[in-house]
Amino acid sequence: RRVHGGIWFALAIMSTTSHRFARNVDAIAFAPSDNNVAIVTSNLTGEYWDGEIQVLSSDLKTAKHSLPCHASMTDVAWGQGKDKLLVGASDDGQIYLWSAAQNELIGSLNDHDDAVHCVAISPAQPSLLLSGSADCSIKLWSLTSESSHSEKTFSSHSDIVYDVDWIDVNAQTFLSGSRDGTARLWDARGTSHAGSVSAGVSVYAVGVSPRDTHLFAIGCEDGSVRCYDSRNLTQSVSHQAAHTKAVRKVAFSSDGTLASAGDDFRVVVSKDSQSYVFAGHKDVVRALAWHPSSPHVLVSGSWDRTVCSYDITQLQASS
């Protein structure tokens, strides 16, 4: 064990499963209602990035579909319904919609004026989609509308919006993180933010605990992971120097275990007042997701072109 920033860390030595891809791995999303996972990959060819979304079985062993993209994809989210809708954020400013079942592009949403960095579909109301962009705005979309334009725009951020996440079960409130150094709380019924936290550095990642929806985490440029209670934003619940470089993703499991991924090539899991470091990647880690039906399984993706899967039930033995 070692101490870093006043927090005890244990290097987690456990068996992990690694899968190699042909491109950098940028995002991972598990389908909520079946056994599929979407992996977003990208590659720089000359001066241009191109992307691909691969749909695999949730154990990452069986490839099912490959959805080629005309631009680099930055994020992906699963919808619901018989067509197994996939929503992809792109650096060309558009949001693409695919039928994963039919393996075809079925539409696009194009109200943003710059690269789209994140998308999030409401678990409570799957027809509602949030997107955040380099144009400093967040947009709310209806996936059942025939229009390619957004329903509402939220414009309180003064710089790039890197991440968004829904907060409550009523599909009314959500959270965002931005390069302007703030994380903001919003009520979708209005257009102004309802509260904010000043981090003093870029907020690259946000995540809400499904176990306690008042609890949320932000991942920051300085390597810190900070947790807050949305009912009292005056001070953080916890502040960990979890990484030595920028934190790119934070994610809570269904039982409230918090994981983070960073530019220091590492994944950190906080569990039972301890933090465990997984140092299996050899480049920045940009993708992170918990398995929806196996909450002890964590998956990470990196620009080293690998996806690693960890079984955290082994943490007790490694500590």
Side-chain angles (χ1 to χ4, degrees):
R1 294 178 183 176
R2 64 187 178 89
V3 176
H4 180 73
I7 304 297
W8 279 103
F9 283 79
L11 183 63
I13 303 171
M14 62 171 63
S15 60
T16 62
T17 303
S18 178
H19 303 265
R20 180 160 290 279
F21 290 79
R23 304 162 183 250
N24 300 342
V25 179
D26 295 298
I28 297 172
F30 284 96
S33 58
D34 62 21
N35 294 319
N36 291 333
V37 61
I39 310 288
V40 173
T41 61
S42 64
N43 188 54
L44 180 63
T45 304
E47 297 180 354
Y48 301 98
W49 287 90
D50 57 7
E52 185 178 45
I53 296 179
Q54 298 184 46
V55 179
L56 298 89
S57 59
S58 61
D59 60 6
L60 303 174
K61 294 180 179 179
T62 304
K64 297 187 175 183
H65 302 292
S66 178
L67 305 172
C69 312
H70 299 297
S72 177
M73 308 304 295
T74 56
D75 199 11
V76 66
W78 286 91
Q80 296 185 4
K82 63 180 181 179
D83 288 333
K84 297 180 181 178
L85 180 69
L86 267 175
V87 178
S90 173
D91 66 2
D92 67 2
Q94 297 200 66
I95 299 167
Y96 293 98
L97 310 177
W98 289 273
S99 166
Q102 302 299 322
N103 193 27
E104 64 180 6
L105 182 69
I106 58 175
S108 64
L109 308 174
N110 51 21
D111 253 3
H112 282 295
D113 297 324
D114 208 332
V116 183
H117 285 280
C118 53
V119 285
I121 292 176
S122 167
Q125 195 168 335
S127 63
L128 295 181
L129 170 72
L130 290 171
S131 61
S133 169
D135 66 9
C136 310
S137 75
I138 301 163
K139 292 186 183 291
L140 176 68
W141 312 80
S142 171
L143 294 175
T144 57
S145 171
E146 295 183 359
S147 172
S148 62
H149 298 291
S150 60
E151 302 284 310
K152 190 177 291 188
T153 299
F154 306 87
S155 302
S156 291
H157 281 298
S158 60
D159 212 325
I160 297 171
V161 179
Y162 285 118
D163 205 6
V164 290
D165 196 15
W166 289 94
I167 292 179
D168 68 356
V169 295
N170 298 316
Q172 293 178 344
T173 54
F174 62 92
L175 175 67
S176 64
S178 169
R179 195 167 71 171
D180 66 12
T182 67
R184 297 181 185 267
L185 303 176
W186 307 80
D187 189 323
R189 294 166 294 186
T191 55
S192 298
H193 66 278
S196 67
V197 168
S198 178
V201 293
S202 295
V203 179
Y204 287 124
V206 298
V208 178
S209 171
R211 186 176 184 180
D212 176 5
T213 55
H214 296 296
L215 181 67
F216 67 87
I218 64 173
C220 301
E221 183 182 20
D222 63 0
S224 65
V225 175
R226 313 176 195 187
C227 291
Y228 293 86
D229 187 317
S230 61
R231 296 166 295 187
N232 180 14
L233 299 177
T234 57
Q235 61 182 7
S236 61
V237 175
S238 65
H239 184 141
Q240 297 185 10
H243 295 264
T244 58
K245 294 184 178 180
V247 179
R248 295 293 181 169
K249 293 295 291 185
V250 293
F252 285 95
S253 70
S254 59
D255 67 0
T257 302
L258 177 60
S260 58
D263 284 353
D264 57 359
F265 307 174
R266 295 186 170 191
V267 173
V268 176
V269 173
S270 299
K271 184 176 177 64
D272 300 328
S273 301
Q274 294 245 17
S275 291
Y276 302 86
V277 178
F278 306 122
H281 287 296
K282 297 179 181 179
D283 207 328
V284 297
V285 187
R286 293 294 176 89
L288 193 67
W290 293 94
H291 194 292
S293 58
S294 301
H296 55 88
V297 175
L298 176 67
V299 176
S300 62
S302 167
W303 281 13
D304 65 7
R305 302 187 175 189
T306 66
V307 170
C308 291
S309 178
Y310 319 90
D311 184 350
I312 70 165
T313 56
Q314 301 176 48
L315 286 178
Q316 187 68 29
S318 68
S319 62

